Amino acid sequence: MKKLLLVPIIFVIACSTGEEKSENRPEQWHGVWNAEWETPPEAYPGIEDMEFYMDGKFTFTSDSLTKTVYGYPGCIFAIDTLSHTQSWYVSNDTLFLVNDKESPGMTYKIAAQEKGRIRLQLLEDIFVTLTK
């Protein structure tokens, strides 16, 4: 059976443009956050023998974000540990990740935020929960 991997979606989608501003990098976001990716299995009918969650880390600094994902065999998101550093900023209810001016990164909708917990949404059915 052909296995579906969402690594390209997680690391390569070019969806955002915009000017980065340091005042749009909330200080309460700075630091290391545990991350858990999840997607509902029913969103991928016919996909069997796959896991629909993955752990990782988001490390926010005043000028960069390093995402580390702990993929594993059978994981729909990734089969290896991967790490990627980008610039970031928040505008309204959106977290923007930026590779460089010629290569914008992904955008996550901020679905919920409270002290020590941020819930992000990528596309319709991929969620990342960050906890400190």
Side-chain angles (χ1 to χ4, degrees), residues 79-126:
I79 59 170
D80 290 321
T81 296
L82 303 168
S83 187
H84 184 65
T85 301
Q86 301 173 274
S87 184
W88 69 283
Y89 67 97
V90 172
S91 181
N92 297 319
D93 67 347
T94 305
L95 167 62
F96 291 90
L97 306 183
V98 181
N99 294 317
D100 59 49
K101 290 183 181 186
E102 288 76 39
S103 179
M106 296 186 296
T107 60
Y108 288 90
K109 181 180 188 305
I110 302 168
Q113 182 177 354
E114 57 192 58
K115 185 176 179 160
R117 185 176 184 276
I118 302 169
R119 180 132 168 111
L120 304 172
Q121 182 175 353
L122 177 66
L123 304 174
E124 290 181 25
D125 54 8
I126 298 173

Side-chain angles (χ1 to χ4, degrees), residues 14-57:
C15 299
S16 69
T17 60
E19 189 174 317
E20 303 168 56
K21 298 180 182 176
S22 60
E23 64 266 21
N24 293 340
R25 295 185 182 116
E27 198 167 310
Q28 67 267 25
W29 287 45
H30 295 186
V32 179
W33 295 75
N34 294 317
E36 181 177 283
W37 282 260
E38 61 184 321
T39 190
E42 54 274 8
Y44 300 90
I47 301 293
E48 298 176 11
D49 301 325
M50 298 293 287
E51 296 291 335
F52 295 87
Y53 65 90
M54 177 179 66
D55 292 325
K57 299 270 186 206

